Amino acid sequence: MKSVYTRRSAICVGILSSLGLLSASALSSCSGRESSHAQHEGSERVAGPIHWNAEVCVSKGALSGEELGASVIVNGQAETSRIDGNDDRLFIGAGNELRSYSKATGELLCTQAIDGSWGNIEQALALAGDYVLVFCRWGRVAAFDADTLEARWNVSVISVEDEDVATQLEGSDQEPLIVVGWESTDFAIFDGNAYIGVSSYELAATSRLACIDIRTGTLQWNVTVDSRIIASGNRGYPYASPYGLLVPAGTEAACLLVSYADGEIVQHLEVDDMITTGFSHDGEAGDVVYFQTRRGTLCRVAFDGDGQAHISCSTDGLDDDKRTPSGAMPLVFDGYVLVNAPTIDESAGSTVLDPDHDASNGACNVFDAETLELVGSVPAREIESTPTLVDGSAVYLGEGGIYRIGLDELPNALEMTELTTEVHRTHQAWDQPLLVEDGTAYVVSGNTDRQNLYAIALG
């Protein structure tokens, strides 16, 4: 499991009413139009497996007079969202900008400045039909046209009148009052609606779970969850099953099934520890979902004909003194499930505090998807990002590079090979999945000073 952290101090001085009262900037720039950037290319072609490399985000503290090209400069840390894409474009949030790039060349095609009263774009970003959805740090979800990046709508999923918020701020001697920062889950898209959960480390251990009509931006419902759900990591949930949303219960050892109609909890499924990964779907089996708990326990949720969820778990291959090293989700393929084996000393609390932790001494376990029986294991660099299935192999971004685990010989043999060390996992891309299409992987990597977008050949 990754250690839970706040990437920067999220307390901002301001007036509470500044949360979302201003509209998004209507100024977007696209190739062929006037732009605020010095150049549009924004990409560098590199020999070897890397097709191109585009610098997308640079912190103010990293500037040293060099040519920045098409990079966006941000105060504090250089932060980016997850990436998503359609047939020819990639979309990414970089600080206070939404950006689109050509998949083929890495050319910067469009930019859209985000309203300053919303805060920077957080990790959540999703392509939903003709819209790109983003979540901004001070509590707003916004939609932009996927072609032009023009603003379509925005809505607050955090109200300053919320009792939880008011209670925390009441009696503060700070003037003006503080505005807190929020972090989010991924978006789940289902039946024309977008679902997202948000929490704040500055406030009480509660969260908001919201449903928004994608076409109109109408807030359908917005409910309180009595747990800080982002304590489970930020990726791969909520999961949109045919029968409701699956959501980790934060620091509580449980999985929740939530109604699409009103956000009410339909089922409460107990597990042995808090859930530390998102949910992976078995496309072949239909409505079967897998995840891991902090102990490394592999859990399987299936639905019966009445839409009732049933959970089964396996503790095979676990060490009582170890826990899982990252938020990487299980990989489901051909009747098997590949997961991280626990490696972090339970008493250490995090990889930073564990002097004996070595990412090169990880392991992957493979289970039968139906019975959850352990059928294979391979020593490997820890899976520090959710693996992607590519031509019978699991490909993932790790601490030292991009790796491939051959899966063709299961259950008898597994083999790990290193594809490239030029792109690797850092603090800001901890559980970034690779976006893979037509033999090319797209991924964001970098550090707190600089973030880059890469296109990598997997052949």
Side-chain angles (χ1 to χ4, degrees):
M1 167 190 171
K2 68 177 180 181
S3 58
V4 176
Y5 63 90
T6 301
R7 288 174 291 168
R8 64 174 180 272
S9 174
I11 298 180
C12 306
V13 177
I15 301 174
L16 288 176
S17 61
S18 70
L19 268 174
L21 295 183
L22 301 177
S23 62
S25 169
L27 176 62
S28 66
S29 67
C30 300
S31 291
R33 305 178 186 178
E34 183 178 356
S35 171
S36 59
H37 295 290
Q39 65 183 49
H40 285 290
E41 287 77 11
S43 65
E44 177 185 355
R45 291 192 169 274
V46 184
I50 299 178
H51 286 323
W52 52 259
N53 167 20
E55 190 174 67
V56 295
C57 197
V58 179
S59 73
K60 201 167 185 179
L63 300 182
S64 59
E66 72 270 30
E67 174 60 48
L68 291 176
S71 299
V72 62
I73 303 171
V74 297
N75 291 320
Q77 295 181 178
E79 295 179 346
T80 52
S81 72
R82 67 168 298 168
I83 57 174
D84 206 345
N86 56 23
D87 289 341
D88 56 2
R89 295 188 178 203
L90 299 170
F91 302 95
I92 186 170
N96 65 347
E97 278 192 0
L98 176 61
R99 324 184 105 210
S100 68
Y101 289 85
S102 165
K103 276 187 174 178
T105 66
E107 177 188 3
L108 177 63
L109 301 176
C110 289
T111 65
Q112 170 66 277
I114 301 300
D115 191 299
S117 69
W118 299 357
N120 287 348
I121 297 174
E122 281 295 297
Q123 290 185 1
L125 179 149
L127 183 64
D130 298 330
Y131 291 169
V132 181
L133 307 180
V134 299
F135 174 75
C136 299
R137 188 164 183 79
W138 292 349
R140 296 195 83 80
V141 172
F144 300 87
D145 184 276
D147 184 39
T148 65
L149 297 192
E150 293 181 60
R152 294 305 184 202
W153 52 257
N154 66 84
V155 61
S156 176
V157 295
I158 301 299
S159 170
V160 294
E161 285 79 27
D162 281 349
E163 182 178 352
D164 294 334
V165 178
T167 299
Q168 292 295 322
L169 298 181
E170 185 178 1
S172 171
D173 58 1
Q174 183 171 348
E175 294 292 342
L177 292 176
I178 62 172
V179 177
V180 299
W182 298 84
E183 296 188 12
S184 74
T185 66
D186 274 339
F187 288 101
I189 309 297
F190 184 80
D191 197 23
N193 292 321
Y195 300 85
I196 191 169
V198 299
S199 303
S200 173
Y201 285 110
E202 280 86 31
L203 300 182
T206 60
S207 303
R208 305 295 293 181
L209 187 62
C211 169
I212 306 163
D213 184 290
I214 293 173
R215 281 294 167 189
T216 66
T218 303
L219 189 64
Q220 309 281 52
W221 47 258
N222 188 4
V223 300
T224 299
V225 178
D226 291 328
S227 181
R228 187 175 287 117
I229 58 177
I230 59 169
S232 299
N234 301 67
R235 301 297 173 86
Y237 69 93
Y239 176 80
S241 82
Y243 310 102
L245 291 174
L246 286 174
V247 186
T251 52
E252 185 182 353
C255 174
L256 308 177
L257 180 64
V258 176
S259 167
Y260 285 125
D262 53 17
E264 293 298 313
I265 297 174
V266 177
Q267 280 187 262
H268 186 279
L269 307 171
E270 293 187 0
V271 291
D272 64 354
D273 204 339
M274 66 180 287
I275 299 170
T276 55
T277 74
F279 300 96
S280 296
H281 179 227
D282 185 348
E284 297 297 324
D287 308 325
V288 182
V289 176
Y290 300 85
F291 60 87
Q292 278 182 286
T293 70
R294 177 168 51 184
R295 289 193 62 229
T297 301
L298 176 62
C299 301
R300 179 181 187 270
V301 177
F303 295 88
D304 61 26
D306 296 324
Q308 288 290 301
H310 301 274
I311 193 166
S312 54
C313 301
S314 173
T315 58
D316 287 355
L318 299 190
D319 183 329
D320 288 339
D321 296 324
K322 302 289 184 181
R323 56 187 177 86
T324 50
S326 77
M329 293 179 282
L331 175 65
V332 187
F333 64 99
D334 297 335
Y336 297 103
V337 184
L338 182 146
V339 300
N340 250 328
T343 59
I344 296 177
D345 192 317
E346 178 67 30
S347 63
S350 72
T351 57
V352 176
L353 300 177
D354 183 355
D356 298 323
H357 181 261
D358 183 351
S360 65
N361 292 332
C364 307
N365 289 335
V366 178
F367 293 81
D368 183 282
E370 182 69 27
T371 66
L372 299 188
E373 177 187 0
L374 180 65
V375 297
S377 184
V378 58
R381 282 257 181 191
E382 286 176 1
I383 302 177
E384 300 194 35
S385 68
T386 297
T388 301
L389 188 64
V390 181
D391 296 330
S393 299
V395 179
Y396 68 94
L397 178 72
E399 184 181 54
I402 293 180
Y403 302 94
R404 183 198 300 270
I405 299 175
L407 305 173
D408 292 337
E409 301 300 323
L410 280 173
N412 300 315
L414 292 169
E415 182 181 355
M416 187 205 75
T417 57
E418 185 176 82
L419 295 181
T420 176
T421 59
E422 295 181 71
V423 181
H424 53 83
R425 195 280 302 165
T426 64
H427 183 71
Q428 293 297 314
W430 187 284
D431 49 6
Q432 280 265 21
L434 300 171
L435 179 65
V436 179
E437 294 181 0
D438 299 325
T440 300
Y442 304 94
V443 67
V444 179
S445 185
N447 53 38
T448 56
D449 283 339
R450 198 175 302 270
Q451 293 282 294
N452 286 52
L453 176 61
Y454 294 88
I456 304 155
L458 295 179

